[in-house]
Amino acid sequence: MSFAIWAALAFLLAGLGYWLLVLTEGVYLGPRVVRLLYDWGAKSYDEIKEFDVGKDAWHLAIPLERRLKDWKCPPILDVATGTGRMLLALLRRPGFEGWLVGLDASLPMLRVAREKVQGYGGRASLLWKDASRLPFADGSFAAVTCIEALEFMPDQSLALQEMARVLAPGGVLLLSNRVGRDTFFLPGRTFGREELKSLLASLSLGDVQVKRWQECYDLVWAQKRGSPGGKPPQNLSEVLLCPRCGSSLARRSEAMGCLNCDHLYPFVDGVLSLEV
Ligand SMILES: C[S@@+](CC[C@H](N)C(=O)[O-])C[C@H]1O[C@@H](n2cnc3c(N)ncnc32)[C@H](O)[C@@H]1O
Ligand SMILES: [Zn+2]
């Protein structure tokens, strides 16, 4: 083969590698690769993203607080919480009285989140778990959020189905969906606006509001049909279920133990490990 052909092949391979590992963060190589890349990048994630806490308050925390004004101490789940950006935005709000759960597939990302939330008196719990199956009872949360992460879920419809399941009637869903030029690089991983609306409608989620955010995302707000019934759960133990058998879990010194199958889920650096 001539030098020109070798050079063209090398160029193509480098382009493919760049697309698979950098532009699309491993999403076409499977959930293990996505997780590995976030494990490796956890320490530099916040520096790369340059989060603006003021903007996060304005676009995420304040509108969510407003939508939850009728809930007393609302429980909120942040799916794929990463380094805890959404948790921190809510915890920093002076009037916010809810309690929070941040779930993510990457332990190193959660370790960074832990450093940020530990000064807030145990109001945020961190769970190490893939989001494909959420380890919570139906209707557990007043709000479920998933920011900059839906595109990484191995089965996005299933992930949305799970988020809708754990949301209480009248509860609020907040999602981001990649739009604009990014959709060109992510075929099959993003939703058209109408497609997403009809998928949400099929999951009993209505009153959908969409707003462009951060150049390449839509922020999507939706509400689960029905009215909130009674007092919302007061802590994680009330809603957490064993990922193996679906029974309740109880605290056992440095772990949570299943009341049915006896499996123990340890705390690792303050993060509850539900990986099974
Ligand atoms: C771009 S980061 C977003 C983190 C955070 N929500 C934010 O806005 O900064 C994507 C996150 O999704 C997590 N993730 C990817 N696939 C996941 C899955 N299947 N289950 C749970 N978390 C996942 C990654 O570990 C990473 O922390
Ligand atoms: Zn069990």
Side-chain angles (χ1 to χ4, degrees):
M1 265 202 290
S2 75
F3 174 75
I5 294 177
W6 278 114
L9 271 178
F11 184 75
L12 271 179
L13 272 179
L16 185 64
Y18 185 74
W19 175 67
L20 285 172
L21 294 171
V22 181
L23 282 180
T24 60
E25 296 173 58
V27 75
Y28 297 104
L29 299 172
R32 281 178 191 208
V33 177
V34 172
R35 176 167 148 173
L36 200 66
L37 292 177
Y38 277 101
D39 285 355
W40 287 341
K43 288 212 170 110
S44 44
Y45 180 80
D46 284 0
E47 210 176 303
I48 293 167
K49 295 295 262 191
E50 295 181 333
F51 291 129
D52 179 328
V53 286
K55 282 188 183 161
D56 281 353
W58 181 255
H59 293 287
L60 306 172
I62 295 173
L64 182 57
E65 243 185 323
R66 278 203 196 117
R67 284 172 166 87
L68 295 176
K69 67 180 177 353
D70 295 333
W71 294 76
K72 199 167 162 21
C73 299
I76 299 176
L77 168 67
D78 186 33
V79 173
T81 196
T83 58
R85 170 235 203 127
M86 185 74 204
L87 306 179
L88 192 66
L90 285 165
L91 288 169
R92 286 171 58 98
R93 298 290 310 147
F96 176 70
E97 290 181 337
W99 58 274
L100 305 165
V101 180
L103 175 145
D104 201 278
S106 162
L107 183 59
M109 293 288 277
L110 289 167
R111 283 198 179 108
V112 179
R114 166 88 181 144
E115 278 169 33
K116 294 186 197 167
V117 303
Q118 64 186 359
Y120 290 89
R123 286 170 63 202
S125 307
L126 298 170
L127 309 185
W128 181 24
K129 167 97 184 59
D130 183 275
S132 302
R133 300 268 173 208
L134 295 173
F136 309 107
D138 296 357
S140 296
F141 295 96
V144 176
T145 59
C146 181
I147 305 297
E148 296 192 28
L150 189 57
E151 56 273 35
F152 300 115
M153 300 294 153
D155 181 337
Q156 293 157 290
S157 301
L158 178 65
L160 283 174
Q161 200 180 306
E162 279 291 276
M163 292 182 218
R165 179 185 67 76
V166 302
L167 197 55
V172 176
L173 179 73
L174 168 59
L175 296 172
S176 67
N177 178 40
R178 290 277 264 272
V179 291
R181 78 182 143 75
D182 279 18
T183 56
F184 175 76
F185 297 112
L186 283 161
R189 307 299 313 173
T190 60
F191 292 96
R193 279 189 176 172
E194 291 312 311
E195 184 192 6
L196 186 54
K197 271 189 192 168
S198 56
L199 179 55
L200 295 177
S202 73
L203 299 171
S204 289
L205 290 152
D207 192 16
V208 179
Q209 290 165 22
V210 180
K211 213 178 146 195
R212 193 73 179 250
W213 175 65
Q214 287 193 171
E215 283 184 40
C216 56
Y217 291 94
D218 271 349
L219 272 187
V220 182
W221 297 88
Q223 189 169 20
K224 187 151 168 187
R225 296 205 179 90
S227 343
K231 205 169 135 192
Q234 297 299 291
N235 56 54
L236 181 61
S237 307
E238 282 184 45
V239 298
L240 189 62
L241 299 178
C242 172
R244 285 189 159 198
C245 75
S247 299
S248 296
L249 298 174
R251 183 81 194 223
R252 298 208 185 126
S253 65
E254 282 311 295
M256 295 290 282
C258 177
L259 297 176
N260 176 47
C261 73
D262 278 338
H263 191 79
L264 281 182
Y265 298 94
F267 286 91
V268 182
D269 301 332
V271 173
L272 179 61
S273 168
L274 293 170
E275 288 293 304
V276 284

